[in-house]
Amino acid sequence: MSTIMEMDEEIARLNGGEWPKDLAYKNEVLVPQILKRVADMSEVIFFESHLTPDQVAALKQDGGFTTVLIEVDQEELQRRNRQRVAEEGYADASTWINSQLISIAEMKNRRLFHTIIDGSQPTEMVAGKITKLDSNSSL
């Protein structure tokens, strides 16, 4: 059974339960610590929405990770962002969506994903496909 981790939760956990105000500290200290920890794990499902293409390539090559893109179009990302802001008190992430999509396009061009899952499907279907990948770790 794999450990399940999510980058934002790990960042907050390492920063005393709060989101760091200092982006340089987050990106230069916390993120590398988390990526090293994840890379050293033998079985992990790691969710992250804004790794650089080079970070994904390193996890794929050096860590032997199966890399999966849960793909959602820009309109749906904007809708989900508005919903999270309104209903869950999240900070508005709309300013980051375009840069994330550009990064994802580069990763697709570099063929850094083993598989792509349509993220517009019901959550149960997406989770089922991830679970199936976890049990077939020979991708």
Side-chain angles (χ1 to χ4, degrees):
M1 178 68 126
S2 295
T3 300
I4 298 174
M5 296 174 59
E6 195 272 333
M7 178 65 92
D8 289 351
E9 291 175 3
E10 291 299 306
I11 289 170
R13 185 184 65 76
L14 286 177
N15 197 54
E18 296 183 9
W19 191 256
K21 293 181 182 2
D22 182 346
L23 291 180
Y25 175 70
K26 177 190 86 119
N27 294 327
E28 296 168 18
V29 176
L30 298 177
V31 169
Q33 285 179 19
I34 294 164
L35 291 177
K36 176 166 182 2
R37 180 172 171 232
V38 167
D40 290 344
M41 297 176 83
S42 61
E43 292 187 30
V44 62
I45 296 174
F46 180 60
F47 291 96
E48 170 52 5
S49 62
H50 44 266
L51 288 179
T52 67
D54 289 340
Q55 289 169 325
V56 172
L59 286 172
K60 183 178 176 184
Q61 180 179 337
D62 301 338
F65 276 71
T66 297
T67 55
V68 178
L69 171 63
I70 301 173
E71 188 169 46
V72 180
D73 66 30
Q74 184 172 8
E75 186 176 307
E76 179 63 10
L77 289 171
Q78 294 286 6
R79 185 197 68 73
R80 290 178 185 185
N81 177 64
R82 287 189 301 273
Q83 180 180 356
R84 288 178 181 135
V85 169
E87 296 175 11
E88 300 174 42
Y90 274 61
D92 184 1
S94 62
T95 58
W96 305 106
I97 291 173
N98 284 337
S99 64
Q100 287 177 313
L101 292 173
I102 290 167
S103 183
I104 288 167
E106 180 181 339
M107 288 184 248
K108 287 170 80 174
N109 286 336
R110 289 174 60 179
R111 301 183 198 286
L112 294 178
F113 300 113
H114 289 93
T115 191
I116 297 173
I117 297 173
D118 178 1
S120 66
Q121 300 174 82
T123 303
E124 296 79 16
M125 290 182 72
V126 173
K129 290 180 181 189
I130 293 169
T131 302
K132 188 174 182 179
L133 289 171
D134 185 37
S135 63
N136 296 336
S137 58
S138 61
L139 276 183

